[in-house]
């Protein structure tokens, strides 16, 4: 298993729309495991494949303290169940160090395939609903900064670009 590099905003690869997964191979299982390793190492709650430059519709999540409740969503889709806006302070591994108040639907019903291709549905609310919407946005080439004002988005972009130059 491996920790993968996480793409950071404004990397243009984060805007690529992910393709559906049609084959459940050993390589896919390794990708899933590597994404969990990466998410745990980065101390995230969720990770979309797009964030690690793998442009297929795959999301991993785990909300447990001890990493014992891994969730895999392949080709996820969701329907809004409760449109009541839920304001949450969101962070993103691709926008490191920034937490912004974003409004998302309070409850969604997600349909997906598990890591072995078995379909499932679940109705989720609160933080899990926010995370599902956030990660599916990634698969569609959308980032949390897209919900911010152009001024705030540009400020974050400039600061992250400067930080990246210092690391290089």
């Amino acid at each position: 298993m491996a920790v993968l590099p996480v793409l950071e905003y404004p990397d243009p690869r984060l805007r690529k729309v992910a393709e559906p997964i049609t084959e459940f191979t050993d390589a896919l299982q390794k990708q899933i495991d590597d994404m969990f390793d990466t998410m745990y190492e980065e101390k995230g709650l969720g990770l979309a494949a797009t964030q690690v430059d793998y442009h297929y519709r795959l999301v991993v999540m785990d909300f447990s303290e001890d990493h014992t409740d891994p969730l895999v969503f392949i080709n996820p889709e969701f329907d809004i169940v409760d449109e009541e806006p839920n304001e949450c302070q969101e962070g993103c591994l691709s926008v490191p160090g920034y937490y912004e108040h974003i409004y998302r639907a309070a409850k969604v019903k997600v349909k997906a395939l598990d890591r072995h291709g078995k379909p499932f549905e679940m109705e989720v609310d609160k933080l899990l609903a926010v995370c599902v919407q956030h990660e599916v946005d990634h698969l569609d080439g959308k980032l949390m900064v897209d919900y911010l004002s152009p001024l705030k988005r540009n400020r974050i972009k400039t600061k992250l670009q400067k930080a990246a130059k210092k690391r290089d």
Side-chain angles (χ1 to χ4, degrees):
M1 301 207 228
V3 174
L4 306 168
V6 176
L7 301 178
E8 290 185 11
Y9 176 72
D11 192 308
R13 293 173 288 179
L14 289 167
R15 299 299 186 175
K16 188 170 181 183
V17 176
E19 298 289 328
I21 291 174
T22 57
E23 295 182 30
F24 292 79
T25 63
D26 290 342
L28 175 63
Q29 300 307 312
K30 180 179 181 338
Q31 181 70 31
I32 292 168
D33 292 338
D34 289 349
M35 285 177 60
F36 274 116
D37 286 347
T38 303
M39 183 184 71
Y40 295 143
E41 178 69 23
E42 298 291 332
K43 298 178 180 27
L45 298 175
L47 184 68
T50 303
Q51 294 177 271
V52 293
D53 205 19
Y54 182 76
H55 300 283
Y56 292 92
R57 299 191 75 78
L58 166 62
V59 169
V60 298
M61 293 182 206
D62 191 338
F63 286 69
S64 66
E65 292 284 326
D66 56 358
H67 306 158
T68 56
D69 194 19
L71 297 169
V72 175
F73 299 86
I74 294 175
N75 302 333
E77 299 176 358
F78 68 85
D79 294 314
I80 295 173
V81 175
D82 182 353
E83 291 189 29
E84 182 69 30
N86 179 24
E87 181 184 14
C88 186
Q89 190 173 36
E90 283 187 34
C92 180
L93 297 178
S94 292
V95 188
Y98 290 89
Y99 297 87
E100 299 293 337
H101 290 278
I102 310 286
Y103 288 92
R104 303 269 190 184
K107 186 183 277 188
V108 299
K109 182 177 186 178
V110 62
K111 299 174 191 173
L113 304 174
D114 70 11
R115 72 182 300 154
H116 303 292
K118 182 181 174 191
F120 70 93
E121 293 182 11
M122 57 194 296
E123 202 167 283
V124 296
D125 61 5
K126 301 180 183 167
L127 186 57
L128 186 51
V130 168
C131 197
V132 164
Q133 293 168 82
H134 177 106
E135 301 304 341
V136 171
D137 270 356
H138 275 298
L139 300 179
D140 293 333
K142 190 170 185 178
L143 301 168
M144 69 175 242
V145 296
D146 297 340
Y147 293 92
L148 306 176
S149 71
L151 178 65
K152 195 172 231 183
R153 186 172 44 249
N154 200 35
R155 191 177 308 143
I156 291 170
K157 178 181 175 180
T158 301
K159 287 182 180 180
L160 289 175
Q161 285 173 324
K162 284 182 183 177
K165 284 181 183 177
K166 284 183 181 179
R167 286 192 306 265
D168 292 344

